[in-house]
């Protein structure tokens, strides 16, 4: 069966369909500096159309919810930011955060206490995402990777949760369920039966596994898992995916197909 036929099950009953997508590496390409990543205009148009038509349309991202929404540029859909820590509802103004405030502060405290000129000299860039602190080392060498491993061990000893992504280590508050918790929360009580989920990274694998469990439990009826494959992404995600794509443009083609029937 071709990709379009697989994804078009969402069109059979749009009101009970959900489209949930990651942003970086899925809706847009990963670039050296995350602040330069751009979501193409055709994604915006398509998601706007689908937001009106589908039961649920959501972007689930590692970025802060506000940043995710400004990157995508559609206000009428849901954004789950910081891997499920923050939610902005359609047309919502402020993200809501649900976690113990003391836990939320811990990662930033750890970075303040440990950040030193050696981190910078080693090519580690710190992205302050509020409750999550991300250490990026794209472009740096193996010695830096070893150093990041040490930081990870220390962070765990200091009571933080750690999460590895594509050339990024995230220090998170404990008790975060990540994107797995986000997708479950998104679909709870919505009456959504058919779900398509697209992602490229380890955090997306958590969501994919949770969605598969929800399907096994009968909480949703149909699931299409879409993986944008890369050398850095987890092979497990590609293995369990129904549709495997080579790059974000191919996902945009499918999203556009859902919205307007054809892709440009
Ligand atoms: Mg991604």
């Amino acid at each position: 069966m071709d990709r379009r036929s697989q994804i078009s099950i969402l069109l059979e009953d749009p009101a009970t369909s959900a489209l949930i997508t990651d942003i970086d590496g899925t809706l847009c390409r990963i670039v050296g500096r995350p602040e330069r990543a751009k979501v193409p205009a055709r994604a915006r148009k398509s998601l706007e159309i689908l937001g009106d038509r589908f039961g649920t349309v959501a972007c689930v991202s590692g970025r802060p919810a506000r940043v995710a929404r400004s990157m995508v540029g559609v206000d009428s859909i849901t954004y789950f930011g910081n891997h499920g820590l923050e939610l902005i509802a359609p047309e919502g103004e402020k993200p809501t955060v649900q976690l113990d405030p003391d836990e939320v502060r811990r990662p930033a405290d750890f970075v303040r206490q440990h950040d030193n000129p050696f981190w910078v000299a080693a090519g580690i860039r710190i992205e302050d995402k509020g409750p999550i602190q991300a250490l990026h080392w794209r472009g740096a060498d193996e010695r830096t990777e070893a150093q990041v491993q040490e930081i990870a061990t220390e962070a765990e000893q200091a009571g933080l949760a750690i999460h590895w992504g594509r050339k990024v280590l995230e220090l998170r508050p404990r008790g975060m369920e990540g994107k797995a918790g986000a997708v479950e929360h998104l679909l709870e009580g919505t009456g959504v039966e058919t779900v398509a989920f697209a992602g490229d990274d380890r955090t997306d694998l958590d969501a994919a596994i949770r969605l598969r469990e929800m399907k096994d439990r009968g909480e949703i009826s149909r699931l299409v898992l879409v993986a944008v494959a890369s050398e850095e992404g987890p092979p497990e995600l590609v293995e369990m995916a129904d549709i495997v794509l080579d790059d974000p443009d191919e996902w945009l083609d499918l999203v556009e197909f859902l919205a307007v029937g054809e892709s440009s």
Side-chain angles (χ1 to χ4, degrees):
M1 194 157 55
D2 72 13
R3 293 165 178 175
R4 286 185 175 195
S5 314
Q6 284 172 285
I7 203 83
S8 65
I9 60 168
L10 273 80
L11 300 172
E12 289 170 16
D13 183 13
T16 62
S17 291
L19 180 83
I20 308 174
T21 180
D22 169 51
I23 300 177
D24 290 86
T26 304
L27 267 188
C28 65
R29 289 171 188 275
I30 295 210
V31 293
R33 302 194 71 91
E35 64 273 19
R36 291 193 190 151
K38 265 199 161 160
V39 175
R42 66 181 180 126
R44 182 168 318 147
K45 276 188 210 154
S46 303
L47 291 172
E48 198 147 38
I49 293 169
L50 295 174
D52 290 340
R53 201 177 292 166
F54 284 175
T56 298
V57 175
C59 292
V60 179
S61 172
R63 299 200 188 232
R66 272 206 183 90
V67 175
R69 184 162 75 172
S70 75
M71 275 180 83
V72 176
V74 182
D75 289 348
S76 57
I77 63 174
T78 303
Y79 294 87
F80 243 119
N82 267 340
H83 303 294
L85 258 188
E86 301 175 343
L87 171 80
I88 304 185
E91 311 299 348
E93 299 218 333
K94 276 188 177 170
T96 54
V97 178
Q98 283 182 336
L99 207 65
D100 178 352
D102 286 342
E103 288 293 327
V104 166
R105 275 193 295 272
R106 273 168 180 266
D109 288 346
F110 177 87
V111 166
R112 250 194 310 280
Q113 287 155 14
H114 291 77
D115 180 20
N116 60 50
F118 299 109
W119 286 20
V120 179
I124 299 169
R125 291 188 305 279
I126 300 158
E127 185 188 359
D128 180 357
K129 302 201 287 185
I132 298 177
Q133 299 288 312
L135 276 57
H136 297 267
W137 73 93
R138 182 172 297 277
D141 63 16
E142 284 157 19
R143 267 177 308 182
T144 302
E145 192 156 345
Q147 193 176 347
V148 174
Q149 287 280 1
E150 284 172 27
I151 296 169
T153 307
E154 267 189 70
E156 278 187 309
Q157 285 163 356
L160 302 181
I162 60 161
H163 201 286
W164 298 96
R166 294 170 67 176
K167 305 282 182 195
V168 57
L169 166 70
E170 289 194 340
L171 309 177
R172 302 177 175 185
R174 271 195 194 156
M176 266 188 70
E177 263 224 285
K179 291 190 183 180
V183 292
E184 186 156 2
H185 181 103
L186 262 175
L187 297 172
E188 240 162 39
T190 56
V192 162
E193 293 285 345
T194 306
V195 178
F197 174 80
D200 71 306
D201 208 345
R202 199 149 282 284
T203 55
D204 303 313
L205 176 62
D206 302 337
I209 291 169
R210 181 64 58 89
L211 288 166
R212 177 76 46 95
E213 288 166 0
M214 289 176 73
K215 185 173 170 247
D216 292 343
R217 293 197 296 257
E219 292 164 17
I220 53 175
S221 315
R222 296 189 292 181
L223 175 63
V224 186
L225 290 175
V226 181
V228 179
S230 75
E231 283 181 7
E232 297 164 351
E236 299 95 316
L237 183 64
V238 170
E239 277 157 30
M240 72 188 289
D242 304 293
I243 300 176
V244 178
L245 306 173
D246 290 329
D247 62 44
D249 281 333
E250 293 185 0
W251 174 229
L252 290 186
D253 288 343
L254 287 178
V255 173
E256 200 167 31
F257 163 71
L258 287 172
V260 297
E262 285 300 321
S263 62
S264 52

